[in-house]
Amino acid sequence: MDKVFISQLHVDTIIGVYDFEKESKQSLYFDIEMLSDIKPAAANDDINLALDYAKVSERVIAHSTTKPVELLETLVEQLADIILTEFNTTQVKIRVSKPAAVAQAQTVGVEITRNKASV
């Protein structure tokens, strides 16, 4: 399988457990890797046969900004389910970083890998 990836997709959204986190948007950064066979798209030079990273990015941004949750864990599970269900991929790895969460750390976050069979 081939890998299609999105690196450091920036999304400003409301997320967090604490009241102060729910008062203003915070930056999240997503790294997403998806397994897919790129041969049909490459052979035909056809975006309709490709795993379109622009559409995946748009979907991640839309979901992250319109469906507020408290936990990064909840968000990445929802996004993995969406990507595996709506796009032509058999496996997705999502890493989300939340730079402002811990003052003493450059960033914190969550990373998961999910397969289509486990959805």
Side-chain angles (χ1 to χ4, degrees):
M1 274 295 171
D2 307 303
K3 189 181 295 182
V4 175
F5 68 91
I6 301 164
S7 181
Q8 294 294 291
L9 178 65
H10 179 233
V11 178
D12 285 324
T13 191
I14 301 290
I15 189 163
V17 175
Y18 304 107
D19 289 340
F20 72 89
E21 292 180 295
K22 297 174 185 179
E23 294 174 3
S24 61
K25 291 182 178 181
Q26 298 182 66
S27 290
L28 299 179
Y29 294 89
F30 293 91
D31 294 310
I32 304 168
E33 294 180 0
M34 300 159 288
L35 297 184
S36 183
D37 182 1
I38 69 164
K39 290 177 192 166
N44 295 287
D45 198 25
D46 186 351
I47 188 65
N48 296 308
L49 300 175
L51 176 52
D52 189 337
Y53 46 78
K55 287 184 179 178
V56 174
S57 297
E58 290 169 7
R59 188 67 173 96
V60 168
I61 293 167
H63 183 79
S64 299
T65 57
T66 59
K67 305 263 186 203
V69 296
E70 292 186 345
L71 299 176
L72 291 176
E73 291 85 347
T74 304
L75 181 57
V76 294
E77 286 288 352
Q78 290 174 350
L79 291 171
D81 184 49
I82 288 168
I83 292 168
L84 288 169
T85 302
E86 297 180 14
F87 297 95
N88 184 25
T89 181
T90 57
Q91 183 183 79
V92 62
K93 180 165 81 171
I94 303 174
R95 176 185 180 103
V96 60
S97 300
K98 188 177 177 184
V102 176
Q104 298 83 359
Q106 183 177 10
T107 194
V108 298
V110 175
E111 179 177 297
I112 65 170
T113 301
R114 297 292 179 266
N115 296 301
K116 190 163 271 199
S118 65
V119 174

